[in-house]
Amino acid sequence: AVRFEGATGIGSHIANCSIHNGWGWAFHATASSNIKVEGTIMFKFIAFGAVATSVSNFTMDGNIVAHTTERDIDSQNFARGMIAICSRPEENKCSGLKITNNIAAGGAYAGFVMPASNCGDDSKYRDNVAHSIDGYKGGVGAVIFPDPSEPA
């Protein structure tokens, strides 16, 4: 429904909107910077609600992503989440992430899929809620994986 690709200007902002009922993803930002999504409801999409890949200075604050369903045939072999931040398997380094105060509800597989943050750093992710997550062999609230932009 909404896509930012190569948006690297002074910034883009979506606020207090409703995006609903689609056969694809509700929101996708890729190869972009200075994007802010806040106070927006994304309802009834397939496979993903909100996705960010290869982004910098990306903020999601106070959004509700609800009712995402699986595709019948899905060739995407990576973790699918209602809010999937930098989770695609290709080259995907992200920086300046702030994912706060969001709700992921009523989805398949995972509420949130995103790279880990450093211990004690609560500025990247905080106050997010996942509930009513279902999926093959059970759903999970969050899938956290090593951050590719932070060498081990």
Side-chain angles (χ1 to χ4, degrees), residues 9-148:
I10 59 171
S12 296
H13 189 190
I14 296 174
N16 305 315
C17 295
S18 174
I19 306 168
H20 59 89
N21 298 344
W23 291 103
W25 304 354
F27 174 84
H28 186 198
T30 185
S32 298
S33 59
N34 306 315
I35 306 287
K36 186 173 187 178
V37 182
E38 65 180 344
T40 294
I41 297 170
M42 299 172 216
F43 179 80
K44 200 173 181 186
F45 286 89
I46 296 177
F48 295 93
V51 178
T53 56
S54 298
V55 294
S56 61
N57 299 323
F58 178 80
T59 299
M60 282 193 74
D61 184 44
N63 301 287
I64 298 172
V65 179
H67 192 62
T68 61
T69 59
E70 287 283 5
R71 295 176 190 246
D72 290 334
I73 298 172
D74 197 342
S75 62
Q76 300 165 340
N77 60 355
F78 56 94
R80 291 172 302 287
M82 298 181 73
I83 298 176
I85 307 300
C86 304
S87 65
R88 301 291 302 266
E90 69 270 5
E91 179 68 22
N92 191 6
K93 293 187 178 176
C94 298
S95 63
L97 299 174
K98 185 176 179 186
I99 313 301
T100 57
N101 306 306
N102 298 290
I103 298 170
Y109 189 67
F112 296 87
V113 180
M114 49 198 169
S117 62
N118 293 325
C119 292
D121 179 7
D122 68 350
S123 63
K124 196 176 197 178
Y125 313 122
R126 71 172 174 19
D127 302 328
N128 296 296
V129 175
H131 68 84
S132 302
I133 307 299
D134 193 14
Y136 178 71
K137 294 187 180 179
V140 296
V143 174
I144 308 297
F145 57 90
D147 188 342

